[in-house]
Amino acid sequence: MSERVPIPTGAIAPSLLACDFARLEQQVVTVMDAGARVMHVDVMDGHFVPPITIGSLIVEALRDIVHDRGGLLDCHLMVERPERHVEAFVKAGADVITVHPEATPHIHYTLKLIRESGVNAGFVINPGTPVEVVEPVADLIDLCLVMSVNPGWGGQRYIPSSTARVAKLKAMLSPDVVLQIDGGISLETIDEARDAGVDLFVAGSSVFGADSGNASLPGTTSADIVSAHFNYNPRPGTVINGRYAAKWSRADDGWLRSTYRAQLLQARYTQDINKDWDFGIQAGLLHGKGGALQKTLGAEVGYQVMKDLWVSAGYNFVGLKDRDLTANEYTSKGAYIRLRFKFDETGLGFPSAGAAASANAK
Ligand code: DX5
Ligand code: ZN
């Protein structure tokens, strides 16, 4: 019986489920050259979870590529009766075999079998399974995986209650057990998972796809915003303003890459208070990549700092379905300051809001 290899911690385990399978070797080499040491392999059988993905043949094909570079094959078996497949995965070169207690009446036996084969034994807890189920087998496992999405598909949203479940497990398990999380890990969610005690982070679409998560957290971020405005003065001292803006932002911390798109349709009503002060209220609809439509509502106060140059300070709220659009995914949430020019349009042949208000104030 060979010795179990130590599982790296404080690391990201790229999930191959999100890679380009036509270029499997290249994809593995790319993430390993970038520093990844744990390759997460999602094995699905079409029974325990609906999709069918990959099996031990692929693990075998990757064995030397991964092992020669000092890496580990972390096999997450989303299959019924995983005990029947342990031998095949061990032979193929698996270094960690992780199994679901819901998939077998013989979880204790399965974990023992994995360990006795010289491989690290992992135990997975689904989002709907109480964390306490790990207790009877806690001394048989090297890794405990908390599913932060329902198993079966990559690219899902992180289930917020997972964080508290991680914290509970951290307190329950021996510090020798590696605590792993899987599902919806991105620049946006990784910090809270780490703070709760996660040691190893599975990340699929945020590593291989440029299409998930958000672009608001540390690393390199960049954004392009285009917007079109329209102004209307129904009477002196009052301005109604409409705006459409589209934003594309990108984030890259070297490991996790993501892009985010959002569009905003907003209307603002601005009323002069006197010559130098005005206030505005605004409402808008925000549509982000997350899908749901958000309502935004805000207010601002403006002050004329020098002739025609105004500074406004305001605050925008995001509506009820806030969870779908997290902080800073779009610039229209939170406090802001903006500079604006407010001209006396009489020179352009229009009646002036500003001029009339100043005249009244004198
Ligand atoms: C889901 C799998 C995950 C999945 C993670 O059943 O276990 O490993 O690939 O993918 P992301 O990071 O895209 O949620
Ligand atoms: Zn997985």
Side-chain angles (χ1 to χ4, degrees):
M1 189 179 89
S2 52
E3 265 298 285
R4 299 194 299 273
V5 289
I7 307 171
T9 54
I12 286 173
S15 165
L16 298 181
L17 188 61
C19 82
D20 175 359
F21 281 101
R23 301 185 301 129
L24 183 58
E25 176 175 5
Q26 268 169 277
Q27 298 262 280
V28 169
V29 170
T30 301
V31 290
M32 292 201 72
D33 284 351
R37 286 296 168 265
V38 182
M39 293 298 119
H40 186 81
V41 182
D42 285 308
V43 179
M44 306 187 191
D45 67 350
H47 291 276
F48 182 69
V49 289
I52 298 176
T53 56
I54 57 185
S56 58
L57 274 181
I58 301 290
V59 173
E60 201 180 329
L62 292 175
R63 160 198 238 144
D64 293 344
I65 300 166
V66 173
H67 288 170
D68 291 352
R69 289 174 173 75
L72 266 70
L73 284 157
D74 168 27
C75 302
H76 175 190
L77 305 193
M78 285 161 274
V79 303
E80 295 287 355
R81 305 302 298 261
E83 65 274 26
R84 296 174 183 167
H85 303 278
V86 169
E87 196 188 335
F89 279 90
V90 171
K91 280 199 178 139
D95 300 288
V96 183
I97 297 179
T98 301
V99 293
H100 284 257
E102 305 87 352
T104 173
H106 305 298
I107 189 67
H108 187 281
Y109 165 79
T110 308
L111 292 165
K112 239 171 74 127
L113 179 66
I114 298 170
R115 264 207 169 167
E116 282 168 3
S117 314
V119 169
N120 288 289
F123 181 92
V124 200
I125 301 184
N126 265 344
T129 302
V131 297
E132 289 76 15
V133 296
V134 71
E135 258 168 359
V137 293
D139 58 339
L140 282 178
I141 63 174
D142 304 291
L143 176 144
C144 181
L145 168 55
V146 177
M147 286 308 297
S148 37
V149 298
N150 282 294
W153 301 271
Q156 304 179 69
R157 231 164 226 288
Y158 182 86
I159 299 173
S161 58
S162 315
T163 311
R165 289 158 60 76
V166 166
K168 239 177 159 177
L169 279 161
K170 190 75 187 172
M172 272 168 61
L173 292 168
S174 137
D176 301 338
V177 175
V178 173
L179 204 48
Q180 187 181 42
I181 197 157
D182 187 2
I185 293 297
S186 68
L187 289 169
E188 179 197 329
T189 51
I190 196 164
D191 286 346
E192 69 174 275
R194 184 206 47 215
D195 293 348
V198 170
D199 304 305
L200 188 58
F201 307 84
V202 176
S205 41
S206 53
V207 168
F208 290 105
D211 220 43
S212 80
N214 88 44
S216 61
L217 289 137
T220 319
T221 62
S222 59
D224 297 312
I225 301 179
V226 290
S227 83
H229 298 245
F230 133 98
N231 286 311
Y232 171 63
N233 277 78
R235 58 175 179 273
T238 302
V239 179
I240 292 173
N241 168 266
R243 160 162 98 106
Y244 168 79
K247 175 184 170 180
W248 295 265
S249 59
R250 291 165 291 281
D252 185 352
D253 74 345
W255 259 117
L256 298 181
R257 269 167 277 284
S258 65
T259 59
Y260 189 80
R261 301 179 296 280
Q263 0 182 28
L264 171 74
L265 197 60
Q266 191 185 36
R268 178 184 287 119
Y269 172 90
T270 303
Q271 177 67 53
D272 285 355
I273 301 170
N274 60 33
K275 185 170 80 60
D276 286 325
W277 290 90
D278 67 11
F279 75 91
I281 48 171
Q282 62 232 13
L285 284 177
L286 183 57
H287 184 259
K289 198 190 66 183
L293 210 54
Q294 311 293 317
K295 295 176 274 285
T296 80
L297 187 66
E300 64 172 31
V301 174
Y303 178 70
Q304 183 168 210
V305 281
M306 58 170 78
K307 188 173 165 2
D308 297 338
L309 182 66
W310 292 65
V311 172
S312 289
Y315 193 88
N316 273 314
F317 305 90
V318 173
L320 287 179
K321 284 179 254 158
D322 208 350
R323 197 59 227 178
D324 289 342
L325 259 193
T326 48
N328 301 323
E329 279 188 345
Y330 198 81
T331 47
S332 63
K333 179 178 180 175
Y336 66 90
I337 292 182
R338 65 188 186 106
L339 267 182
R340 63 200 167 99
F341 289 102
K342 191 157 116 180
F343 296 108
D344 177 352
E345 303 91 335
T346 41
L348 303 171
F350 299 113
S352 165
S358 8
N360 291 344
K362 274 172 195 159

